[in-house]
Amino acid sequence: MADGPEAAIERALAHVEESFIAAAGPGGQNVNKVATAVQLRLSIYALRLAPEVFARFKELAGSKMTAKGEIVLTARRFRTQEQNRADGRERLSELIREAHKLPEKRAKSRLNRVGKTQRLEGKKKRGAVKAGRGKVRLD
C-alpha cells in the first residue's frame, strides 16, 4: 500500500484503458481520416494509493477526474497515434509522481520587537486615516 511512485505508475500503466479518437488541429486531410488522439481512462482506485497521496492526486487531477473516480486524459498534441500515446502515458506518470511529492512545510515567520512596534504604528496611522473618513457632521 505504501509503495513509491514507480510502483503506482506500473499499476497505472497496467490498468489504463486506451481509446483512439479523431483529433483536431494540424494534419491536413489526414486529421479527418485517422483517429490519432488518445484518450486514457484509469480508475483511481486501481492505483491503491496511500490516503494522503490519494488526496493530493485528486487535487491535482481536478477536472480530469469523473464522479465515478476515473481519470480521463486526452493526448492530441502530436500528429501520430504513437506519439500521442506516449505523451498521454507520460502525463499520467507525471501526475502520479507529483501526487507522491510531499508539500514543503511552511516556516513560520518571526518578527523582532522593532518590527512589531513599526507594524503596530503603521496600523494605528492607517486606522486614524480611516477614522477621519466618517460622514460630515454639521453642528
Side-chain angles (χ1 to χ4, degrees):
M1 183 101 170
D3 26 322
E6 297 310 315
I9 291 170
E10 245 178 74
R11 271 195 302 277
L13 296 179
H15 288 91
V16 74
E17 294 174 19
E18 295 175 342
S19 56
F20 298 97
I21 54 178
Q29 291 179 357
N30 189 55
V31 85
N32 300 326
K33 295 187 291 185
V34 183
T36 55
V38 179
Q39 191 174 61
L40 302 175
R41 284 185 170 273
L42 172 71
S43 172
I44 193 170
Y45 306 109
L47 297 175
R48 298 192 319 259
L49 299 171
E52 61 276 358
V53 178
F54 181 83
R56 282 195 297 270
F57 188 79
K58 277 177 65 173
E59 183 79 26
L60 287 168
S63 64
K64 295 178 193 86
M65 189 166 162
T66 66
K68 291 181 184 176
E70 284 186 327
I71 300 295
V72 180
L73 279 174
T74 306
R76 58 171 55 135
R77 194 173 2 169
F78 300 102
R79 290 184 183 202
T80 66
Q81 239 181 32
E82 211 40 56
Q83 283 179 310
N84 282 329
R85 188 170 182 246
D87 180 44
R89 287 172 167 256
E90 183 52 42
R91 283 174 38 205
L92 180 62
S93 300
E94 190 54 39
L95 199 63
I96 294 169
R97 278 191 201 96
E98 281 297 313
H100 276 81
K101 286 183 184 172
L102 284 173
E104 290 183 21
K105 295 276 185 194
R106 184 184 170 276
K108 237 180 170 180
S109 57
R110 294 187 52 187
L111 208 57
N112 59 17
R113 185 177 45 82
V114 175
K116 202 173 200 176
T117 55
Q118 285 177 349
R119 183 179 66 88
L120 292 173
E121 283 173 22
K123 285 171 71 90
K124 282 180 185 166
K125 284 180 188 174
R126 193 77 193 124
V129 168
K130 289 185 174 188
R133 289 188 188 151
K135 288 183 180 179
V136 178
R137 290 188 305 176
L138 300 171
D139 290 329

